Amino acid sequence: MANEDTPVGVVDPEVRAYVYSLVSALGGTGSDENGRYVLGDDAFACLKDLKKWLKFYDEKANRLDVARCLAEANLVKGDLLEILAAWPNEAGVDKMKSKIALACLELLVPLTWPIEKDELQMTVNHHRHIPYLQLAQISYKRGILEHDSSSILRTAVRVGLPSIALPMGERTSRDEGIIKLLLYFLRNIAIISAPLHLPIEFDENEVSRSATIEAFHQQDVLALLLTVASNMGEDFRTQDVVVMEILFHILKGIDIEKLFMDETQLDGKKADELQYLLKKEAGMHRDYARNAPTRHNRFGTMIWVKRDDARVSTVSGQDVLANDQHTLSKMDQSKKWNRPKQRGKNTERTHNHFDLPVPLSVSAAQHLRNFVQEFLDSGFNPLFSHVRRSIEREADRVLEVHSRQFFYLVSWFLEAERVRRRTKKEMDQRSGQNLEQIFEPDSFGLVASVLNQETFITLNRFMHKQLDIESWQEVNAGMRCFTQILLTVQEMSESSLEEDQEIAENIQNRIFYEETTHDRIIAILRGYKDQGFSYLDACTELSHVFLRLLERYSKKNIDLQVRSRRRARKKKNLNPESDAGFQGPEPDSEAEDMAEAHRVSKERKFDFTRFSSKFLTQNCVNTFVTFTSYFKDFTAEQLKRAHRFFYRVAFKQEMSVVLFRLDIIALFNRIIKGPEGLDTASIMFKEWDELTRQLIRRMFKKLQQRPELAVEMLFSKINSTVFYLEYGYERQKVSSKPRPPAELEVRGAMTREEQLGVAVAVLHDTKLDAIDWVKDLLTFAVNERRSWEVESSARSLPETAENEHSNEATLESRPKPASIIVRPDSEERRIAMFKDNKLRLLMTLAGFERIGIDDEPDATWVIPSSLTSEMLQKTFDLIEGYRNNPVMQYGDEDPLSAEEMLRRKSAKYTRRAEFDDDSSREGVESDDEEEFLFPAGGPTNRKPDALAELKKKRRKRRVEGSDDESRLDKASLEVRRKARRLAELEKRRKIKSEEFVIDSDEDEDEERDREFFAREESLRKGHAKEVLKAIRTARLKFEETNIMPQKVKKRKVEKIEAASGKRRKLSDTGTESEQDEARPVSAGFSSSTHAQGSDTSDDEMSDTPPSSPHLNSSQEKSLKQNPNNQSFDKDTVGHQVSALVLNDDGDEEGPVMTNRRRARVAIVSDTDSD
């Protein structure tokens, strides 16, 4: 109990004693030395020991005891600074003093290192020491910046100058360490600032940003930074990140507009701000004076307010008696909603936050302006290009916070360059001089290192990553950088230099080409939720600038193309030869296809209206409404930004419905009418007034059209509600059918049993229940089918051995068993039967069949009647065996898993028609085989024995190459196969070109034409003589025979008479032999079919092809001469040839071409059976 009452010491007494003894031995001020600091005998050893205590006790044990003891012992101000001050600037090179000064610097760096601990990692020791050490660091910075007798920063720079002066190739690791130590010391001094929650004993301006900048300027620190930055990559490589950190902590939060103002402009700006504040104060006094208490109304007042629901509310104060509006406003102010506060990740402010504005003194602003201008001229490109490359390759010295600092500094310097150019142009206009006409205008090449494609890729990757992990400060820095890049590119496009204009056009094309960038801007605006006003300001500015520039660029480039990305699979190999056999793994297997799924890019024409409609969602509107609620502190540019967005939504996009919400209308009304509204003297007041009046007018019109809007004004509106309020009816939705999965098959030439093993092995690890379900189905099917077979065999016993043939016919015509319907055992199984292609493969190999359309999800699976009980039992035994002992790998040399043995079933390949326009549809790739426009045409000129010679050569080649082919490997055979294929393609190309593209097609050769027609005329005459000779021979035989034909029944040829328009009857004279002999052979008549004429029915004989021609007049005459011509061959009517016939006088006529309209002809044969 006694130990509990004893107070616990802050630091271990033994540790304190050791540290105090080292500090005492370091040195001190002596009276005999006129108050000067005198080093101890072992001062250098004491400095080394103190460094070891900091390293091995505080850092190793994660404690701050030694730093606390050194702060209490006043080591920095009482010893270290005095030691550095004892080395005056006028003194020459002193190795001992330089060595001791370096040791002091090694102690100052850890003592001034910024203290930032995560709350989850802080211990009781940290909570005890951190507030004290933060105040101690403020005193350290004050002592360093404002030392009485010496410039401490210049002395520190002198320590590192010998190492800096050496060429990079001659520096040792010690030199690199000294340079790094110096830069980190300057970084620490720039970081240290007065803590917000702790009081300090001296004036805060002594350690402010202005004091730091002035000290850096006076003690040549800015010149050192400029030297290192401008030589980055040549003389310095590992110092890029540290220099960037120093610049970040010097420049963060500084208003660039004020920085580049001269003294006159700055005074005018300050006067305007003061006038604005005075007006604001006067307005507050006027509002208060309206209801201010007087001598007679200082008594308490309480009134009752009756509401619609018969309830009573009380409001106190005499100001509620002024008017009803004031009463209701005060009642609304009394309402409180204790909204739960959720603490985010980055709520604790650290040294790396950049959203707090920092004021500067006039002298500090002038020094910093000069430094920034010199840095832009010489150091910007080398430093930031080197830092970007370090971030891309993830160097060890690069931390997560450095990316944030990099993009913030890029945005800061780009804005500084734009403001500098604008200020310079304004100064030229005021002075009346146009220097651009005298000198060549400045190019944007001073900031070109951050306007290249590499920077855009790094920025996009950075923003995508930080959005995913919800690191809002990093996203804020990225948005600021992207906004300034867009604004800089806009100014480049307006430059007088053609080179800058071309570069700006190229940059805009690259930025706006990626659709992922468009989607990211929309996602950032939609995703705002309590990230702070700085984040809100950055995201609204980015969306405003991006939308405005994209609209301008799309109007200028009507055919703007954007690249959208989607997940897609690689195209399957449609070459059927690849499926001939199994030759190892192929790239179209299901497993490899899923593994090799990649992002496929697709270009499409950009539609700005479609893109801008994505900003009409309720989340985007809510973000701008939240932003507009801060209107009282807005600048003119911010008021314009919010006004342009709401104007675009309500009037350009005609979607004012999404703004018809009570809180939005009340906000707009408060901006114009008050209380505490927008100042009427503001340049944006008239535009906001007009916007509010037009919006309210549209709201009342819409209320008359859609009375439902009165209820919907209380809520945010979803897309369906917006559509209904806009058009008066619900949006029609078309549901799409689910697509079936790709059908699978097993690679290689495997038997059905082996294929079943592969299908079972694929399902064995993850879907064992599916295998058991298939087994249960097979068990049930075996029992059902076996029962049916037993019953069927009992009913149909064989009768006798004599009727064996008839019994076989009976067995063949025996009824088949009914198909067994496959029913799923659960809803998941029903979905799997449609979507799981592996389960479908197993069912297909088991013999199951799918009835219906493949695209139908509820199509029925059946076990067909063709499967007997023995077959089903065999399938069951195979699946059972593979289930118990699955075969997971196939192959000996390079074994493949069962998953790799599957591939998609190739679709049936059909060549498209030559006139099919769908062959070049979007997204359909052409096959490897070339589609030829022309077929291989016409007979080729070959020798009569060309075929025999070709066979002889093939046999010879086969005999000679039999031994060689046996020794060829598969690669050589594949090469030969491809060569033969290429030769065949080349042959087909020659056919196309030689047959249809002849150089002499247009040449006229009269001699050749004369020979051709003469040859044709001789052939025709010879052919006509042969036909005439055959006819005469047949007629003579007919006259010699003189046999009367048998009486037959007269029949009418109905279709011939219908075609000719006349009714004729066939005479019953003549015989069949006469008909055969008199038929002209060369005219296309066939005598071989006459024997079938009597056995052919009338229907069959009348079924003439529709291409049969009409009989001309000559043919009708021949029918009259041969009345018993009962049968014609079908080919007789079908051929379009010229025929020689005899006229009534027996003279021959010339060849007659049948050119009349075609009609269907019926030839009737009369038989005795009629």
Side-chain angles (χ1 to χ4, degrees):
M1 297 298 293
N3 293 333
E4 295 180 358
D5 298 335
T6 304
V8 179
V10 177
V11 180
D12 188 3
E14 187 175 357
V15 174
R16 186 187 298 274
Y18 274 111
V19 173
Y20 278 8
S21 63
L22 291 173
V23 174
S24 301
L26 183 60
T29 304
S31 58
D32 56 345
E33 297 293 339
N34 298 326
R36 290 187 298 106
Y37 188 87
V38 180
L39 291 173
D41 296 336
D42 295 332
F44 185 74
C46 292
L47 292 173
K48 292 295 183 181
D49 290 344
L50 290 174
K51 178 184 175 182
K52 292 178 181 179
W53 272 97
L54 286 172
K55 181 177 181 180
F56 294 106
Y57 190 84
D58 278 6
E59 294 183 10
K60 295 291 184 181
N62 193 21
R63 300 175 65 87
L64 300 174
D65 293 347
V66 177
R68 176 69 178 266
C69 293
L70 295 178
E72 293 176 353
N74 196 20
L75 173 69
V76 175
K77 297 177 64 177
D79 296 283
L80 299 182
L81 298 184
E82 296 298 330
I83 294 173
L84 292 175
W87 189 16
N89 297 329
E90 298 80 10
V93 178
D94 190 344
K95 291 186 178 181
M96 187 60 191
K97 288 185 177 180
S98 176
K99 192 175 182 180
I100 293 177
L102 180 59
C104 293
L105 195 61
E106 290 177 348
L107 278 176
L108 284 174
V109 170
L111 290 176
T112 57
W113 199 273
I115 303 174
E116 290 183 355
K117 297 287 185 181
D118 189 4
E119 291 187 358
L120 299 177
Q121 298 177 355
M122 290 182 65
T123 62
V124 177
N125 180 274
H126 295 150
H127 285 286
R128 288 174 181 172
H129 297 321
I130 285 179
Y132 186 86
L133 291 179
Q134 287 178 344
L135 293 176
Q137 287 183 347
I138 294 295
S139 64
Y140 297 162
K141 180 175 181 178
R142 181 195 178 198
I144 293 171
L145 296 180
E146 299 181 356
H147 195 270
D148 298 333
S149 59
S150 179
S151 301
I152 303 300
L153 294 176
R154 183 177 283 113
T155 304
V157 172
R158 288 177 61 194
V159 173
L161 277 180
S163 300
I164 295 174
L166 292 174
M168 187 174 60
E170 298 179 6
R171 292 184 197 141
T172 62
S173 58
R174 181 177 181 275
D175 295 326
E176 294 291 342
I178 292 174
I179 299 174
K180 182 179 180 181
L181 195 68
L182 171 61
L183 293 176
Y184 272 112
F185 173 66
L186 299 177
R187 192 278 311 259
N188 296 344
I189 299 302
I191 287 179
I192 295 174
S193 60
L196 300 177
H197 56 281
L198 295 176
I200 56 178
E201 299 177 354
F202 46 84
D203 189 4
E204 187 176 347
N205 292 328
E206 296 178 359
V207 292
S208 64
R209 187 77 60 82
S210 298
T212 304
I213 293 173
E214 290 182 359
F216 278 15
H217 171 71
Q218 294 172 2
Q219 303 183 35
D220 300 331
V221 175
L222 295 180
L224 173 67
L225 296 177
L226 191 61
T227 302
V228 176
S230 59
N231 292 278
M232 191 62 62
E234 298 178 0
D235 295 333
F236 305 95
R237 288 185 180 178
T238 60
Q239 294 80 14
D240 51 356
V241 175
V242 187
V243 175
M244 184 188 66
E245 281 193 80
I246 298 174
L247 294 177
F248 173 79
H249 293 292
I250 292 176
L251 301 174
K252 65 178 182 180
I254 293 178
D255 189 354
I256 301 175
E257 296 285 346
K258 293 182 179 179
L259 180 65
F260 281 89
M261 290 180 181
D262 55 15
E263 191 171 353
T264 304
Q265 292 176 335
L266 191 59
D267 292 340
K269 181 72 173 178
K270 291 181 179 180
D272 293 340
E273 291 179 354
L274 178 60
Q275 186 178 4
Y276 171 75
L277 293 176
L278 291 175
K279 286 184 178 180
K280 189 174 182 180
E281 185 181 10
M284 294 173 61
H285 283 302
R286 283 194 301 269
D287 293 340
Y288 179 74
R290 293 172 184 171
N291 303 307
T294 62
R295 183 176 60 179
H296 301 289
N297 63 355
R298 294 181 181 176
F299 302 99
T301 302
M302 178 177 291
I303 64 172
W304 289 353
V305 179
K306 289 185 178 180
R307 295 185 290 182
D308 296 338
D309 53 359
R311 294 185 180 182
V312 178
S313 299
T314 59
V315 184
S316 61
Q318 287 192 355
D319 54 346
V320 301
L321 301 176
N323 50 41
D324 296 340
Q325 182 64 32
H326 194 79
T327 303
L328 296 176
S329 299
K330 191 164 187 179
M331 188 169 62
D332 290 340
Q333 292 175 3
S334 64
K335 299 176 182 178
K336 293 183 179 180
W337 177 39
N338 296 325
R339 184 177 181 178
K341 296 181 179 180
Q342 298 179 356
R343 191 167 186 177
K345 292 183 178 180
N346 298 327
T347 56
E348 191 69 24
R349 184 168 299 278
T350 63
H351 297 295
N352 295 310
H353 284 64
F354 48 78
D355 50 359
L356 282 181
V358 178
L360 290 180
S361 63
V362 177
S363 60
Q366 183 178 359
H367 298 325
L368 185 61
R369 180 170 63 249
N370 295 333
F371 169 76
V372 170
Q373 291 178 350
E374 293 179 0
F375 181 81
L376 285 171
D377 293 338
S378 61
F380 181 83
N381 284 337
L383 176 63
F384 282 90
S385 61
H386 203 274
V387 173
R388 178 186 54 79
R389 289 193 294 267
S390 300
I391 293 175
E392 287 178 353
R393 65 173 178 265
E394 298 180 356
D396 295 337
R397 62 182 180 276
V398 177
L399 304 178
E400 293 182 0
V401 73
H402 291 152
S403 298
R404 181 203 304 183
Q405 296 174 357
F406 171 77
F407 289 112
Y408 174 78
L409 286 178
V410 169
S411 67
W412 198 95
F413 279 108
L414 287 178
E415 185 179 1
E417 176 65 16
R418 294 191 301 106
V419 173
R420 182 175 71 156
R421 288 173 173 270
R422 186 174 67 247
T423 304
K424 184 179 179 181
K425 187 178 297 185
E426 293 174 356
M427 291 177 62
D428 294 342
Q429 292 177 356
R430 286 197 303 265
S431 62
Q433 297 179 358
N434 192 356
L435 297 180
E436 291 187 358
Q437 296 180 357
I438 303 174
F439 303 101
E440 184 179 355
D442 295 335
S443 172
F444 281 87
L446 298 177
V447 292
S449 62
V450 296
L451 297 178
N452 50 20
Q453 186 67 14
E454 291 80 5
T455 304
F456 300 152
I457 294 174
T458 305
L459 177 60
N460 288 330
R461 187 186 300 118
F462 171 77
M463 293 185 66
H464 179 74
K465 176 182 177 182
Q466 302 305 325
L467 275 174
D468 289 343
I469 64 178
E470 297 183 353
S471 183
W472 306 123
Q473 280 294 322
E474 278 73 10
V475 177
N476 189 359
M479 289 189 296
R480 290 174 181 266
C481 179
F482 195 21
T483 303
Q484 294 304 322
I485 288 175
L486 292 175
L487 294 175
T488 304
V489 172
Q490 180 187 3
E491 289 198 3
M492 289 178 64
S493 63
E494 299 172 356
S495 175
S496 58
L497 296 177
E498 295 184 0
E499 183 181 0
D500 288 345
Q501 295 178 7
E502 293 177 359
I503 295 174
E505 180 72 18
N506 188 17
I507 293 175
Q508 290 183 84
N509 189 17
R510 290 184 177 184
I511 292 176
F512 298 141
Y513 179 65
E514 295 291 344
E515 192 179 29
T516 54
T517 304
H518 305 184
D519 297 338
R520 187 178 300 114
I521 302 300
I522 298 173
I524 289 174
L525 189 63
R526 290 178 179 176
Y528 172 77
K529 185 179 180 182
D530 300 332
Q531 283 94 347
F533 179 77
S534 176
Y535 183 92
L536 178 62
D537 183 41
C539 72
T540 52
E541 183 182 12
L542 175 60
S543 60
H544 171 71
V545 173
F546 186 84
L547 197 61
R548 180 166 54 87
L549 293 185
L550 182 57
E551 181 179 14
R552 180 183 304 176
Y553 187 76
S554 61
K555 288 180 180 179
K556 188 183 301 183
N557 298 271
I558 302 176
D559 297 329
L560 176 62
Q561 299 288 324
V562 294
R563 179 172 64 180
S564 60
R565 296 178 180 271
R566 58 184 177 85
R567 298 293 293 183
R569 302 176 183 273
K570 287 188 176 180
K571 186 176 177 62
K572 295 192 301 179
N573 182 18
L574 297 179
N575 186 8
E577 296 180 1
S578 62
D579 299 336
F582 175 69
Q583 298 181 1
E586 297 182 9
D588 57 349
S589 67
E590 180 69 15
E592 293 179 1
D593 196 21
M594 293 295 294
E596 295 176 2
H598 60 289
R599 276 210 164 305
V600 174
S601 300
K602 177 182 178 183
E603 286 190 354
R604 62 174 179 82
K605 187 175 181 180
F606 177 73
D607 185 5
F608 179 78
T609 305
R610 175 186 175 188
F611 171 72
S612 59
S613 64
K614 297 180 180 180
F615 287 86
L616 305 181
T617 59
Q618 199 67 53
N619 290 334
C620 295
V621 173
N622 292 340
T623 301
F624 268 92
V625 169
T626 306
F627 175 72
T628 312
S629 62
Y630 298 95
F631 69 93
K632 291 184 291 184
D633 301 324
F634 276 2
T635 62
E637 190 276 331
Q638 291 172 327
L639 286 171
K640 182 179 180 181
R641 185 194 313 165
H643 176 272
R644 293 297 184 268
F645 175 80
F646 292 122
Y647 178 81
R648 181 183 296 275
V649 172
F651 300 102
K652 280 192 174 182
Q653 299 290 335
E654 296 293 338
M655 290 294 291
S656 55
V657 177
V658 297
L659 301 180
F660 294 159
R661 208 172 65 192
L662 284 181
D663 58 334
I664 300 177
I665 299 299
L667 175 62
F668 287 2
N669 184 70
R670 184 159 63 91
I671 291 175
I672 303 303
K673 302 295 183 181
E676 300 179 356
L678 189 63
D679 187 10
T680 55
S682 175
I683 59 177
M684 292 297 299
F685 180 81
K686 291 184 178 180
E687 296 186 17
W688 274 99
D689 186 24
E690 184 67 20
L691 174 66
T692 304
R693 287 193 296 104
Q694 295 295 336
L695 187 64
I696 294 177
R697 181 181 301 173
R698 287 198 174 192
M699 181 187 68
F700 282 111
K701 287 184 178 179
K702 186 62 69 174
L703 279 171
Q704 295 176 358
Q705 297 176 2
R706 310 276 187 270
E708 301 88 353
L709 181 61
V711 179
E712 292 296 336
M713 288 183 66
L714 299 172
F715 312 101
S716 297
K717 295 163 185 64
I718 59 178
N719 294 334
S720 59
T721 304
V722 171
F723 188 88
Y724 175 76
L725 293 175
E726 192 69 28
Y727 301 103
Y729 58 89
E730 297 288 344
R731 186 192 297 270
Q732 301 296 327
K733 296 182 179 180
V734 179
S735 59
S736 59
K737 286 186 177 182
R739 298 178 59 185
E743 295 292 335
L744 300 179
E745 64 180 1
V746 183
R747 297 174 180 273
M750 302 181 70
T751 62
R752 174 177 171 273
E753 291 77 7
E754 294 173 339
Q755 294 181 7
L756 273 173
V758 174
V760 172
V762 170
L763 296 171
H764 188 272
D765 293 335
T766 58
K767 300 174 182 179
L768 197 60
D769 57 332
I771 302 175
D772 296 336
W773 175 69
V774 174
K775 286 174 48 184
D776 296 339
L777 290 176
L778 289 173
T779 303
F780 174 77
V782 167
N783 296 333
E784 288 291 326
R785 195 57 52 84
R786 187 171 295 163
S787 300
W788 188 92
E789 291 173 355
V790 170
E791 182 181 357
S792 177
S793 61
R795 289 181 176 180
S796 56
L797 294 176
E799 296 178 357
T800 57
E802 299 174 352
N803 298 330
E804 183 177 358
H805 181 72
S806 62
N807 288 336
E808 291 178 357
T810 304
L811 289 174
E812 292 179 357
S813 61
R814 181 183 301 173
K816 296 182 179 180
S819 299
I820 301 174
I821 299 177
V822 177
R823 302 186 184 279
D825 55 351
S826 62
E827 180 66 19
E828 292 79 6
R829 191 79 65 204
R830 184 187 68 81
I831 298 175
M833 290 171 62
F834 177 72
K835 291 188 175 182
D836 191 352
N837 50 6
K838 298 183 178 67
L839 176 60
R840 293 173 60 152
L841 175 63
L842 178 61
M843 296 172 67
T844 303
L845 293 176
F848 298 179
E849 293 181 358
R850 183 179 174 89
I851 301 176
I853 306 174
D854 290 340
D855 294 342
E856 184 65 32
D858 296 328
T860 304
W861 284 82
V862 297
I863 300 176
S865 57
S866 59
L867 298 180
T868 62
S869 60
E870 291 79 5
M871 299 168 63
L872 293 173
Q873 183 63 43
K874 182 180 179 180
T875 304
F876 174 83
D877 296 337
L878 288 173
I879 295 178
E880 176 69 17
Y882 285 121
R883 183 194 181 280
N884 298 330
N885 298 309
V887 181
M888 294 299 184
Q889 290 186 348
Y890 293 84
D892 299 331
E893 297 180 357
D894 296 326
L896 299 176
S897 62
E899 189 81 18
E900 296 174 340
M901 291 295 297
L902 299 181
R903 66 180 173 194
R904 291 186 181 182
K905 184 181 293 185
S906 58
K908 294 182 179 179
Y909 174 70
T910 56
R911 185 177 298 278
R912 295 184 179 273
E914 298 175 3
F915 52 83
D916 192 355
D917 294 334
D918 294 337
S919 60
S920 58
R921 290 179 300 172
E922 184 178 1
V924 179
E925 299 179 4
S926 61
D927 299 323
D928 295 335
E929 184 178 358
E930 181 180 357
E931 295 187 9
F932 294 93
L933 297 177
F934 305 102
T940 57
N941 295 327
R942 293 181 180 176
K943 297 180 180 180
D945 56 345
L947 182 61
E949 292 182 359
L950 181 61
K951 290 182 178 180
K952 182 178 179 181
K953 290 181 180 179
R954 286 182 178 177
R955 285 195 299 268
K956 183 178 180 180
R957 191 186 308 118
R958 188 180 302 113
V959 172
E960 294 176 354
S962 59
D963 298 336
D964 297 336
E965 291 182 359
S966 62
R967 294 191 297 268
L968 292 177
D969 54 356
K970 296 181 179 180
S972 301
L973 293 176
E974 182 67 18
V975 170
R976 289 190 175 185
R977 187 185 65 79
K978 291 182 178 179
R980 288 195 299 270
R981 179 176 175 81
L982 292 176
E984 180 66 22
L985 291 176
E986 184 64 25
K987 179 181 177 182
R988 296 184 65 183
R989 294 190 187 97
K990 289 181 179 180
I991 291 172
K992 177 177 68 174
S993 60
E994 291 178 359
E995 183 178 358
F996 294 93
V997 185
I998 301 177
D999 296 338
S1000 60
D1001 278 348
E1002 298 180 357
D1003 299 336
E1004 296 182 359
D1005 192 349
E1006 296 181 357
E1007 184 66 25
R1008 184 185 60 188
D1009 295 342
R1010 189 180 302 108
E1011 293 178 357
F1012 172 76
F1013 289 121
R1015 185 168 57 255
E1016 291 294 324
E1017 180 68 18
S1018 62
L1019 291 175
R1020 185 181 64 79
K1021 289 181 178 180
H1023 182 70
K1025 289 180 181 180
E1026 293 178 358
V1027 172
L1028 183 60
K1029 183 179 180 181
I1031 293 175
R1032 287 176 178 175
T1033 304
R1035 187 170 184 178
L1036 292 175
K1037 290 182 179 181
F1038 173 74
E1039 292 175 354
E1040 292 175 358
T1041 305
N1042 197 15
I1043 300 176
M1044 295 300 295
Q1046 189 180 5
K1047 289 285 185 178
V1048 295
K1049 189 176 181 178
K1050 294 182 179 180
R1051 299 289 299 272
K1052 296 180 180 179
V1053 185
E1054 298 176 354
K1055 292 189 178 181
I1056 294 178
E1057 293 174 349
S1060 62
K1062 301 178 182 180
R1063 301 185 60 86
R1064 295 184 179 90
K1065 295 183 179 180
L1066 296 175
S1067 61
D1068 51 356
T1069 61
T1071 60
E1072 293 178 359
S1073 61
E1074 180 183 358
Q1075 176 184 356
D1076 292 341
E1077 294 173 355
R1079 182 177 295 116
V1081 179
S1082 62
F1085 294 94
S1086 177
S1087 60
S1088 60
T1089 58
H1090 176 65
Q1092 302 174 0
S1094 59
D1095 297 334
T1096 307
S1097 63
D1098 294 340
D1099 294 337
E1100 292 175 351
M1101 294 301 297
S1102 63
D1103 190 9
T1104 309
S1107 61
S1108 303
H1110 283 288
L1111 298 176
N1112 54 21
S1113 58
S1114 300
Q1115 290 169 335
E1116 290 180 1
K1117 292 179 181 180
S1118 65
L1119 286 175
K1120 289 180 180 181
Q1121 293 175 2
N1122 302 293
N1124 292 332
N1125 189 4
Q1126 299 174 358
S1127 177
F1128 287 91
D1129 188 14
K1130 294 181 181 180
D1131 295 334
T1132 304
V1133 186
H1135 285 294
Q1136 303 240 358
V1137 297
S1138 60
L1140 285 173
V1141 296
L1142 297 177
N1143 56 14
D1144 296 336
D1145 300 332
D1147 299 330
E1148 61 182 33
E1149 294 182 350
V1152 180
M1153 191 67 180
T1154 304
N1155 292 326
R1156 297 182 60 186
R1157 186 180 52 173
R1158 295 182 178 182
R1160 193 178 293 272
V1161 181
I1163 306 300
V1164 182
S1165 174
D1166 294 340
T1167 60
D1168 294 338
S1169 61
D1170 293 340

